[in-house]
Coordinates of all heavy atoms in Angstrom, one line a residue:
M1 N 18.7 22.6 48.9 CA 19.9 23.1 48.4 C 20.2 24.4 49.2 O 19.4 25.3 49.2 CB 19.8 23.5 46.9 CG 20.9 24.3 46.3 SD 20.8 24.6 44.6 CE 19.8 26.1 44.6
A2 N 21.4 24.4 49.9 CA 21.7 25.6 50.7 C 22.2 26.7 49.8 O 22.8 26.5 48.7 CB 22.9 25.2 51.6
T3 N 21.8 27.9 50.1 CA 22.1 29.1 49.3 C 22.8 30.2 50.1 O 22.7 30.3 51.3 CB 20.9 29.7 48.7 OG1 20.0 30.1 49.7 CG2 20.2 28.7 47.8
E4 N 23.5 31.0 49.4 CA 24.1 32.2 50.0 C 23.7 33.4 49.1 O 23.6 33.2 47.9 CB 25.6 32.1 50.1 CG 26.1 31.1 51.0 CD 27.6 30.9 51.1 OE1 28.3 31.3 50.2 OE2 28.1 30.4 52.1
N5 N 23.6 34.6 49.7 CA 23.1 35.7 48.9 C 23.6 37.0 49.5 O 23.3 37.2 50.7 CB 21.6 35.6 48.7 CG 21.1 36.7 47.8 OD1 21.8 37.3 47.0 ND2 19.8 36.9 47.9
A6 N 24.2 37.8 48.8 CA 24.6 39.2 49.2 C 25.2 39.2 50.6 O 24.7 39.9 51.5 CB 23.4 40.1 49.1
L7 N 26.3 38.5 50.8 CA 26.9 38.4 52.1 C 27.7 39.7 52.4 O 28.4 40.2 51.6 CB 27.8 37.2 52.2 CG 27.2 35.9 52.3 CD1 28.3 34.8 52.4 CD2 26.3 35.8 53.5
K8 N 27.5 40.1 53.6 CA 28.4 41.1 54.2 C 29.3 40.4 55.1 O 28.8 39.6 56.0 CB 27.6 42.2 55.0 CG 27.4 43.5 54.4 CD 26.8 44.4 55.5 CE 26.9 45.8 55.0 NZ 26.2 46.7 55.9
T9 N 30.6 40.5 55.0 CA 31.6 39.7 55.8 C 32.5 40.6 56.6 O 32.7 41.8 56.3 CB 32.4 38.8 55.0 OG1 33.1 39.5 54.0 CG2 31.5 37.7 54.3
L10 N 33.1 40.0 57.7 CA 34.0 40.7 58.5 C 35.1 39.7 58.8 O 34.9 38.6 59.2 CB 33.3 41.2 59.8 CG 34.1 42.0 60.8 CD1 34.5 43.3 60.2 CD2 33.2 42.2 62.0
S11 N 36.4 40.2 58.7 CA 37.5 39.3 59.1 C 38.0 39.7 60.4 O 38.2 40.8 60.8 CB 38.6 39.6 58.0 OG 39.7 38.7 58.3
R12 N 38.2 38.6 61.3 CA 38.7 38.8 62.6 C 39.6 37.6 63.0 O 39.4 36.5 62.4 CB 37.6 38.9 63.6 CG 36.8 40.2 63.6 CD 37.6 41.3 64.1 NE 36.9 42.5 64.2 CZ 37.0 43.5 63.3 NH1 37.7 43.4 62.2 NH2 36.3 44.6 63.5
P13 N 40.5 37.7 64.0 CA 41.3 36.6 64.4 C 40.4 35.5 65.1 O 39.5 35.9 65.8 CB 42.4 37.2 65.3 CG 41.8 38.5 65.7 CD 40.9 38.9 64.7
A14 N 40.8 34.3 65.0 CA 40.1 33.2 65.7 C 40.6 33.1 67.2 O 41.8 33.4 67.4 CB 40.4 31.9 65.0
S15 N 39.8 32.7 68.1 CA 40.1 32.5 69.5 C 40.9 31.2 69.7 O 41.5 31.0 70.8 CB 38.9 32.6 70.3 OG 38.0 31.5 70.0
G16 N 40.8 30.3 68.8 CA 41.5 29.0 68.9 C 41.3 28.3 67.6 O 41.0 28.9 66.5
D17 N 41.5 27.0 67.6 CA 41.3 26.2 66.4 C 39.8 26.1 66.0 O 39.0 25.4 66.7 CB 41.9 24.8 66.6 CG 41.8 23.9 65.4 OD1 41.1 24.3 64.4 OD2 42.3 22.8 65.4
L18 N 39.4 26.8 65.0 CA 38.0 26.7 64.5 C 37.8 26.0 63.2 O 36.9 26.2 62.5 CB 37.5 28.2 64.4 CG 37.5 29.1 65.6 CD1 36.9 30.4 65.3 CD2 36.8 28.4 66.8
S19 N 38.8 25.1 63.0 CA 38.7 24.3 61.7 C 37.5 23.4 61.6 O 37.1 23.0 60.5 CB 40.0 23.5 61.5 OG 40.2 22.6 62.5
A20 N 36.9 23.1 62.7 CA 35.6 22.2 62.7 C 34.4 23.1 62.9 O 33.3 22.5 63.1 CB 35.7 21.1 63.7
A21 N 34.5 24.4 62.8 CA 33.3 25.2 63.1 C 32.8 26.0 61.9 O 32.0 26.9 62.1 CB 33.8 26.2 64.2
Q22 N 33.2 25.6 60.7 CA 32.6 26.3 59.5 C 31.1 26.2 59.5 O 30.6 25.2 59.8 CB 33.2 25.8 58.2 CG 32.8 26.5 57.0 CD 33.4 26.0 55.7 OE1 33.7 24.8 55.6 NE2 33.7 26.8 54.8
Y23 N 30.5 27.4 59.2 CA 29.0 27.5 59.2 C 28.3 27.4 60.5 O 27.1 27.0 60.6 CB 28.4 26.5 58.1 CG 28.9 26.7 56.7 CD1 29.5 25.7 56.0 CD2 28.9 28.0 56.1 CE1 30.1 25.9 54.8 CE2 29.5 28.2 54.9 CZ 30.0 27.1 54.2 OH 30.6 27.3 53.0
K24 N 29.0 27.7 61.6 CA 28.4 27.7 62.9 C 28.3 29.2 63.3 O 29.1 30.1 62.8 CB 29.3 27.0 64.0 CG 29.2 25.5 63.8 CD 29.9 24.8 65.0 CE 29.7 23.3 64.9 NZ 30.3 22.6 66.1
F25 N 27.4 29.5 64.3 CA 27.3 30.9 64.8 C 28.5 31.2 65.7 O 29.0 30.4 66.5 CB 26.0 31.0 65.7 CG 24.8 30.9 64.8 CD1 23.8 29.9 65.0 CD2 24.5 31.9 63.9 CE1 22.7 29.9 64.3 CE2 23.3 31.9 63.2 CZ 22.4 30.9 63.4
V26 N 29.0 32.4 65.5 CA 30.2 32.9 66.3 C 29.9 34.2 66.9 O 29.0 34.9 66.5 CB 31.5 33.0 65.4 CG1 32.0 31.6 65.0 CG2 31.3 33.8 64.2
K27 N 30.7 34.6 67.9 CA 30.6 35.9 68.6 C 32.0 36.4 68.8 O 32.9 35.6 68.8 CB 29.8 35.7 69.9 CG 30.5 34.8 70.9 CD 29.7 34.6 72.1 CE 30.4 33.6 73.0 NZ 29.7 33.4 74.2
M28 N 32.1 37.7 69.1 CA 33.3 38.3 69.4 C 33.5 38.2 70.9 O 32.6 38.5 71.7 CB 33.3 39.7 69.0 CG 33.1 39.9 67.5 SD 34.3 39.1 66.4 CE 35.7 40.1 66.8
N29 N 34.7 37.7 71.3 CA 35.0 37.6 72.7 C 35.6 39.0 73.2 O 35.8 39.9 72.4 CB 35.9 36.4 73.1 CG 37.3 36.6 72.5 OD1 37.8 37.6 72.1 ND2 38.0 35.4 72.4
S30 N 36.0 39.1 74.5 CA 36.4 40.3 75.0 C 37.8 40.8 74.4 O 38.2 41.9 74.6 CB 36.5 40.3 76.5 OG 37.4 39.2 76.9
S31 N 38.5 39.8 73.8 CA 39.8 40.2 73.1 C 39.6 40.5 71.7 O 40.6 40.7 70.9 CB 40.7 39.0 73.3 OG 41.0 38.7 74.6
G32 N 38.4 40.6 71.2 CA 38.2 40.9 69.8 C 38.4 39.8 68.8 O 38.6 39.9 67.6
Q33 N 38.3 38.5 69.4 CA 38.5 37.3 68.5 C 37.2 36.6 68.4 O 36.3 36.7 69.2 CB 39.5 36.4 69.2 CG 40.9 37.0 69.4 CD 41.7 36.1 70.3 OE1 41.3 35.5 71.2 NE2 43.0 36.0 69.9
M34 N 37.1 35.9 67.3 CA 35.9 35.1 67.0 C 35.9 33.8 67.9 O 36.9 33.1 67.9 CB 35.8 34.7 65.6 CG 35.5 35.8 64.6 SD 35.2 35.2 62.9 CE 36.8 34.4 62.6
A35 N 34.8 33.5 68.5 CA 34.6 32.2 69.2 C 33.3 31.6 68.9 O 32.3 32.4 68.7 CB 34.7 32.5 70.7
V36 N 33.1 30.3 68.9 CA 31.9 29.7 68.6 C 30.9 29.9 69.7 O 31.3 29.9 70.9 CB 32.1 28.1 68.4 CG1 30.7 27.4 68.3 CG2 32.9 27.9 67.2
C37 N 29.7 30.2 69.4 CA 28.6 30.4 70.4 C 28.5 29.2 71.3 O 28.4 28.1 70.7 CB 27.3 30.8 69.8 SG 27.3 32.4 69.1
S38 N 28.5 29.3 72.6 CA 28.5 28.1 73.4 C 27.4 28.1 74.5 O 27.4 27.2 75.3 CB 29.9 28.0 74.1 OG 30.1 29.2 74.9
V39 N 26.5 29.0 74.4 CA 25.4 29.1 75.3 C 24.1 29.1 74.5 O 23.9 29.9 73.6 CB 25.4 30.3 76.2 CG1 24.1 30.4 77.1 CG2 26.7 30.3 77.1
A40 N 23.2 28.1 74.7 CA 22.0 28.0 73.9 C 21.2 29.3 74.0 O 21.0 29.8 75.1 CB 21.2 26.8 74.3
G41 N 20.7 29.8 72.9 CA 19.9 31.0 72.9 C 20.6 32.3 73.0 O 19.9 33.4 73.0
E42 N 21.9 32.3 73.0 CA 22.7 33.6 73.2 C 22.7 34.4 71.9 O 22.4 33.9 70.8 CB 24.1 33.4 73.7 CG 25.1 32.8 72.7 CD 26.5 32.6 73.3 OE1 26.9 33.4 74.2 OE2 27.1 31.6 73.0
E43 N 23.2 35.6 72.0 CA 23.3 36.5 70.8 C 24.6 36.0 70.0 O 25.5 35.5 70.6 CB 23.5 37.9 71.3 CG 23.3 38.9 70.2 CD 23.2 40.3 70.7 OE1 23.2 40.5 72.0 OE2 23.0 41.2 69.9
S44 N 24.5 36.2 68.7 CA 25.6 35.9 67.8 C 26.0 37.1 67.0 O 25.1 37.9 66.7 CB 25.1 34.7 66.8 OG 26.0 34.6 65.8
D45 N 27.2 37.2 66.6 CA 27.7 38.3 65.8 C 27.7 37.9 64.3 O 27.9 38.8 63.4 CB 29.1 38.7 66.2 CG 29.0 39.4 67.6 OD1 28.1 40.2 67.8 OD2 29.9 39.1 68.4
G46 N 27.7 36.6 64.0 CA 27.8 36.2 62.6 C 27.9 34.7 62.5 O 27.8 33.9 63.4
V47 N 28.2 34.2 61.2 CA 28.4 32.8 60.9 C 29.7 32.6 60.3 O 30.1 33.3 59.3 CB 27.3 32.3 59.9 CG1 27.5 30.9 59.5 CG2 25.9 32.5 60.5
L48 N 30.5 31.7 60.9 CA 31.9 31.5 60.4 C 31.8 30.9 58.9 O 31.1 30.0 58.7 CB 32.6 30.5 61.3 CG 34.1 30.3 61.0 CD1 34.9 31.6 61.1 CD2 34.7 29.2 61.8
Q49 N 32.6 31.5 58.0 CA 32.6 31.1 56.6 C 33.8 30.3 56.2 O 33.7 29.6 55.2 CB 32.6 32.4 55.7 CG 31.3 33.2 55.9 CD 30.1 32.5 55.6 OE1 29.9 32.1 54.4 NE2 29.2 32.2 56.5
D50 N 34.8 30.2 57.0 CA 36.0 29.5 56.6 C 36.4 28.6 57.8 O 35.7 28.4 58.8 CB 37.1 30.4 56.1 CG 37.4 31.5 57.0 OD1 36.9 31.5 58.2 OD2 38.2 32.4 56.6
M51 N 37.7 28.2 57.8 CA 38.2 27.2 58.9 C 39.5 27.6 59.4 O 40.5 26.9 59.2 CB 38.2 25.8 58.3 CG 36.9 25.3 57.8 SD 36.9 23.7 57.1 CE 37.7 23.9 55.5
P52 N 39.6 28.7 60.2 CA 40.9 29.1 60.7 C 41.4 28.0 61.7 O 40.6 27.6 62.6 CB 40.7 30.4 61.4 CG 39.2 30.5 61.6 CD 38.6 29.7 60.6
A53 N 42.6 27.5 61.6 CA 43.0 26.3 62.3 C 43.9 26.6 63.5 O 44.4 25.7 64.2 CB 43.8 25.4 61.4
A54 N 44.0 27.9 63.9 CA 44.8 28.2 65.1 C 44.4 29.5 65.7 O 43.9 30.4 64.9 CB 46.3 28.1 64.8
A55 N 44.6 29.7 67.0 CA 44.4 31.0 67.6 C 45.1 32.1 66.8 O 46.3 31.9 66.5 CB 44.7 31.0 69.0
G56 N 44.5 33.2 66.6 CA 45.2 34.4 65.9 C 45.1 34.4 64.4 O 45.3 35.4 63.8
R57 N 44.7 33.2 63.8 CA 44.6 33.2 62.4 C 43.3 33.9 62.0 O 42.3 33.8 62.6 CB 44.5 31.7 61.9 CG 45.8 31.1 61.9 CD 45.9 29.8 61.0 NE 47.2 29.2 61.1 CZ 47.4 28.0 60.7 NH1 46.5 27.3 60.1 NH2 48.6 27.5 60.8
A58 N 43.4 34.6 60.9 CA 42.2 35.4 60.4 C 41.1 34.4 59.9 O 41.4 33.4 59.3 CB 42.6 36.3 59.3
G59 N 39.9 34.8 60.3 CA 38.7 34.0 59.8 C 37.7 35.0 59.3 O 37.8 36.2 59.6
C60 N 36.8 34.6 58.6 CA 35.8 35.4 58.0 C 34.4 35.0 58.5 O 34.0 33.8 58.4 CB 35.8 35.3 56.4 SG 34.7 36.3 55.6
M61 N 33.6 36.0 59.0 CA 32.3 35.7 59.4 C 31.3 36.5 58.6 O 31.5 37.7 58.3 CB 32.1 35.9 60.9 CG 32.1 37.3 61.4 SD 31.7 37.3 63.1 CE 32.6 38.8 63.6
A62 N 30.1 35.9 58.2 CA 29.1 36.6 57.6 C 28.3 37.4 58.6 O 27.9 36.8 59.7 CB 28.1 35.6 56.9
I63 N 28.1 38.7 58.4 CA 27.4 39.5 59.4 C 26.1 40.0 58.9 O 25.4 40.8 59.5 CB 28.3 40.6 59.9 CG1 28.8 41.5 58.8 CG2 29.5 40.1 60.7 CD1 29.5 42.8 59.2
G64 N 25.8 39.7 57.6 CA 24.6 40.2 57.0 C 24.4 39.4 55.7 O 25.3 38.9 55.1
G65 N 23.1 39.3 55.3 CA 22.8 38.6 54.1 C 22.2 37.2 54.4 O 21.8 36.9 55.5
Q66 N 22.3 36.3 53.5 CA 21.8 35.0 53.6 C 22.9 34.0 53.4 O 23.7 34.1 52.5 CB 20.7 34.7 52.5 CG 20.1 33.3 52.6 CD 19.1 33.1 51.5 OE1 18.9 34.0 50.6 NE2 18.5 32.0 51.5
T67 N 23.1 33.1 54.4 CA 24.2 32.2 54.4 C 23.8 30.8 54.9 O 22.8 30.6 55.5 CB 25.4 32.7 55.2 OG1 26.6 31.8 55.0 CG2 25.1 32.8 56.7
K68 N 24.7 29.8 54.6 CA 24.5 28.5 55.2 C 24.8 28.5 56.7 O 25.6 29.3 57.1 CB 25.5 27.5 54.5 CG 25.4 27.4 53.0 CD 26.6 26.6 52.5 CE 26.7 26.6 51.0 NZ 27.8 25.9 50.5
V69 N 24.2 27.6 57.4 CA 24.5 27.4 58.8 C 24.1 25.9 59.1 O 23.2 25.4 58.6 CB 23.7 28.4 59.7 CG1 22.2 28.2 59.7 CG2 24.2 28.4 61.1
L70 N 25.0 25.3 60.0 CA 24.7 23.9 60.4 C 23.5 23.9 61.3 O 23.4 24.8 62.1 CB 25.9 23.3 61.1 CG 27.2 23.1 60.2 CD1 28.3 22.6 61.0 CD2 26.8 22.1 59.1
L71 N 22.7 22.8 61.2 CA 21.6 22.7 62.1 C 21.9 21.7 63.2 O 22.6 20.7 63.0 CB 20.4 22.1 61.2 CG 19.9 23.0 60.1 CD1 18.7 22.3 59.4 CD2 19.5 24.4 60.6
G72 N 21.3 22.0 64.4 CA 21.5 21.2 65.6 C 20.2 20.4 65.8 O 20.2 19.7 66.9
G73 N 19.3 20.4 65.0 CA 18.0 19.7 65.1 C 17.2 19.9 63.9 O 17.6 20.5 62.9
T74 N 16.0 19.3 63.9 CA 15.1 19.5 62.7 C 14.6 21.0 62.8 O 14.0 21.4 63.8 CB 14.0 18.5 62.7 OG1 14.5 17.2 62.6 CG2 13.0 18.7 61.6
V75 N 14.7 21.7 61.7 CA 14.2 23.1 61.7 C 13.3 23.2 60.4 O 13.8 22.8 59.3 CB 15.4 24.1 61.6 CG1 14.8 25.5 61.5 CG2 16.3 23.9 62.8
A76 N 12.1 23.7 60.6 CA 11.2 23.8 59.5 C 11.5 25.1 58.7 O 11.9 26.1 59.3 CB 9.8 23.8 60.0
Q77 N 11.2 25.0 57.4 CA 11.3 26.2 56.6 C 10.4 27.3 57.2 O 9.3 27.1 57.6 CB 10.9 25.9 55.2 CG 11.0 27.1 54.2 CD 10.6 26.7 52.8 OE1 10.4 25.6 52.5 NE2 10.6 27.7 51.9
G78 N 11.0 28.5 57.3 CA 10.2 29.7 57.8 C 10.4 29.8 59.3 O 9.9 30.9 59.9
A79 N 10.9 28.9 60.0 CA 11.1 29.0 61.5 C 12.1 30.0 61.9 O 13.1 30.1 61.2 CB 11.4 27.6 62.1
S80 N 11.9 30.7 63.0 CA 12.9 31.5 63.6 C 14.0 30.6 64.2 O 13.6 29.6 64.8 CB 12.3 32.4 64.7 OG 11.3 33.3 64.1
V81 N 15.2 31.0 64.1 CA 16.3 30.2 64.6 C 17.1 30.9 65.7 O 17.2 32.2 65.6 CB 17.2 29.6 63.5 CG1 16.5 28.7 62.6 CG2 17.9 30.7 62.7
A82 N 17.7 30.1 66.6 CA 18.6 30.6 67.6 C 19.8 29.6 67.6 O 19.8 28.6 66.9 CB 17.9 30.6 69.0
T83 N 20.8 29.9 68.4 CA 21.9 29.0 68.5 C 21.7 28.0 69.6 O 21.1 28.3 70.6 CB 23.3 29.8 68.7 OG1 24.3 28.9 68.7 CG2 23.2 30.6 70.0
D84 N 22.3 26.8 69.4 CA 22.4 25.8 70.5 C 23.7 26.0 71.2 O 24.5 26.9 70.8 CB 22.1 24.4 70.0 CG 23.2 23.8 69.1 OD1 24.3 24.5 68.9 OD2 23.0 22.7 68.6
A85 N 24.1 25.2 72.1 CA 25.3 25.3 72.9 C 26.5 24.9 72.1 O 27.7 25.0 72.6 CB 25.2 24.5 74.2
S86 N 26.3 24.5 70.8 CA 27.5 24.1 69.9 C 27.6 25.0 68.7 O 28.3 24.7 67.8 CB 27.3 22.7 69.4 OG 27.3 21.8 70.5
G87 N 26.8 26.1 68.7 CA 26.9 27.1 67.6 C 26.1 26.8 66.4 O 26.2 27.4 65.4
R88 N 25.2 25.7 66.5 CA 24.4 25.3 65.4 C 23.0 26.0 65.5 O 22.6 26.3 66.6 CB 24.3 23.8 65.4 CG 25.6 23.1 65.2 CD 25.5 21.6 65.4 NE 25.0 21.4 66.7 CZ 24.8 20.2 67.2 NH1 25.1 19.1 66.5 NH2 24.3 20.0 68.4
A89 N 22.3 26.1 64.4 CA 21.0 26.6 64.4 C 19.9 25.6 64.8 O 19.9 24.5 64.4 CB 20.6 27.1 63.0
V90 N 19.0 26.1 65.7 CA 17.9 25.3 66.2 C 16.7 26.2 66.1 O 16.8 27.4 66.1 CB 18.1 24.7 67.6 CG1 19.2 23.7 67.6 CG2 18.4 25.8 68.6
T91 N 15.5 25.6 66.2 CA 14.3 26.4 66.3 C 14.3 27.2 67.5 O 14.5 26.6 68.6 CB 13.0 25.5 66.2 OG1 13.1 24.7 65.0 CG2 11.7 26.3 66.3
A92 N 14.0 28.5 67.4 CA 14.1 29.4 68.6 C 13.0 29.0 69.6 O 11.9 28.7 69.2 CB 14.0 30.8 68.2
A93 N 13.4 29.0 70.9 CA 12.4 28.8 72.0 C 12.2 30.1 72.7 O 12.9 31.1 72.5 CB 13.0 27.8 72.9
T94 N 11.2 30.2 73.5 CA 10.9 31.4 74.3 C 12.1 31.8 75.1 O 12.7 31.0 75.7 CB 9.7 31.1 75.3 OG1 8.6 30.7 74.5 CG2 9.4 32.3 76.1
G95 N 12.4 33.1 75.0 CA 13.6 33.6 75.7 C 14.9 33.6 74.9 O 15.9 34.2 75.3
N96 N 15.0 32.9 73.8 CA 16.2 32.8 73.0 C 16.3 34.1 72.2 O 15.3 34.7 71.8 CB 16.1 31.7 72.0 CG 16.3 30.3 72.6 OD1 16.0 29.3 71.9 ND2 16.8 30.2 73.8
V97 N 17.5 34.5 71.9 CA 17.7 35.6 70.9 C 17.5 35.0 69.5 O 18.2 34.1 69.1 CB 19.1 36.2 71.0 CG1 19.4 37.2 70.0 CG2 19.4 36.8 72.4
I98 N 16.6 35.6 68.8 CA 16.3 35.1 67.4 C 17.4 35.7 66.5 O 17.6 36.9 66.4 CB 14.9 35.5 66.9 CG1 13.9 34.8 67.8 CG2 14.7 35.2 65.4 CD1 12.5 35.2 67.5
I99 N 18.1 34.8 65.8 CA 19.3 35.2 65.0 C 18.9 35.3 63.5 O 19.5 36.1 62.8 CB 20.5 34.2 65.2 CG1 20.9 34.2 66.7 CG2 21.6 34.6 64.3 CD1 21.9 33.2 67.0
G100 N 17.9 34.6 63.1 CA 17.5 34.6 61.7 C 16.3 33.7 61.5 O 15.6 33.3 62.4
R101 N 16.0 33.5 60.2 CA 14.9 32.7 59.8 C 15.4 31.6 58.8 O 16.2 31.9 57.9 CB 13.9 33.6 59.1 CG 12.6 32.8 58.8 CD 11.4 33.8 58.4 NE 11.2 34.8 59.4 CZ 10.4 34.6 60.5 NH1 9.9 33.5 60.7 NH2 10.2 35.6 61.3
C102 N 14.9 30.4 59.0 CA 15.3 29.3 58.1 C 14.6 29.4 56.8 O 13.4 29.4 56.7 CB 15.0 28.0 58.8 SG 15.5 26.5 57.9
T103 N 15.4 29.5 55.7 CA 14.8 29.6 54.4 C 14.6 28.3 53.7 O 14.0 28.2 52.7 CB 15.6 30.6 53.4 OG1 16.9 30.1 53.3 CG2 15.6 32.0 54.0
E104 N 15.2 27.3 54.3 CA 15.2 25.9 53.7 C 15.3 25.0 54.9 O 16.3 24.9 55.6 CB 16.3 25.7 52.8 CG 16.3 24.3 52.1 CD 17.5 24.1 51.2 OE1 17.9 25.1 50.5 OE2 18.0 23.0 51.2
G105 N 14.2 24.2 55.2 CA 14.2 23.3 56.3 C 15.2 22.2 56.2 O 15.7 21.9 55.1
G106 N 15.5 21.6 57.3 CA 16.5 20.5 57.3 C 16.6 19.8 58.6 O 15.8 20.1 59.6
T107 N 17.6 18.9 58.7 CA 17.8 18.1 60.0 C 19.2 18.3 60.4 O 20.0 18.9 59.7 CB 17.5 16.7 59.8 OG1 18.3 16.1 58.7 CG2 16.0 16.4 59.4
V108 N 19.6 17.7 61.6 CA 20.9 17.8 62.2 C 22.0 17.6 61.1 O 22.0 16.7 60.3 CB 21.1 16.7 63.3 CG1 22.5 16.8 63.8 CG2 20.1 17.0 64.4
G109 N 23.0 18.5 61.2 CA 24.2 18.4 60.3 C 24.0 18.9 58.9 O 25.0 19.0 58.1
T110 N 22.8 19.3 58.5 CA 22.6 19.8 57.1 C 22.6 21.3 57.1 O 22.6 21.9 58.1 CB 21.3 19.3 56.5 OG1 20.2 19.8 57.3 CG2 21.2 17.8 56.4

């Protein structure tokens, strides 16, 4: 069962159609807009909480607390996580920026 707890959120405009990116890792681009993380192991600013469907529409990202995130592979409970090239959580590898810890294990898409 996925859980959320004591979320700190931030509202920012979307860089494009993010309607299929809910619960993926996002970062702020140079224009101050949210974009899905697209490089495996890169730093993330938060997790998208809603589905802004066009560039410039406001979206909300969790920047602190415990939130749901889509998985890009099998991740064990307690594992450190990083982003894959599609903004999903994967088990962190050497050299990845560790974004968080998995509190409930799962597999792709959960």
Side-chain angles (χ1 to χ4, degrees):
M1 174 177 84
T3 60
E4 294 179 338
N5 186 16
L7 286 182
K8 255 186 165 174
T9 60
L10 183 64
S11 180
R12 289 288 184 261
S15 62
D17 182 353
L18 301 182
S19 61
Q22 186 177 30
Y23 302 124
K24 288 187 175 185
F25 290 118
V26 291
K27 62 183 177 181
M28 301 301 291
N29 66 19
S30 60
S31 299
Q33 299 171 320
M34 290 186 298
V36 175
C37 290
S38 59
V39 176
E42 74 177 326
E43 197 165 0
S44 167
D45 293 316
V47 176
L48 186 64
Q49 297 297 295
D50 52 11
M51 300 181 285
R57 287 199 181 165
C60 181
M61 68 174 156
I63 58 171
Q66 181 180 3
T67 187
K68 303 173 190 177
V69 65
L70 290 176
L71 299 179
T74 300
V75 180
Q77 181 177 354
S80 295
V81 295
T83 184
D84 68 6
S86 297
R88 299 170 302 182
V90 292
T91 302
T94 302
N96 289 164
V97 174
I98 296 173
I99 299 172
R101 185 168 307 279
C102 183
T103 59
E104 181 181 324
T107 59
V108 175
T110 60

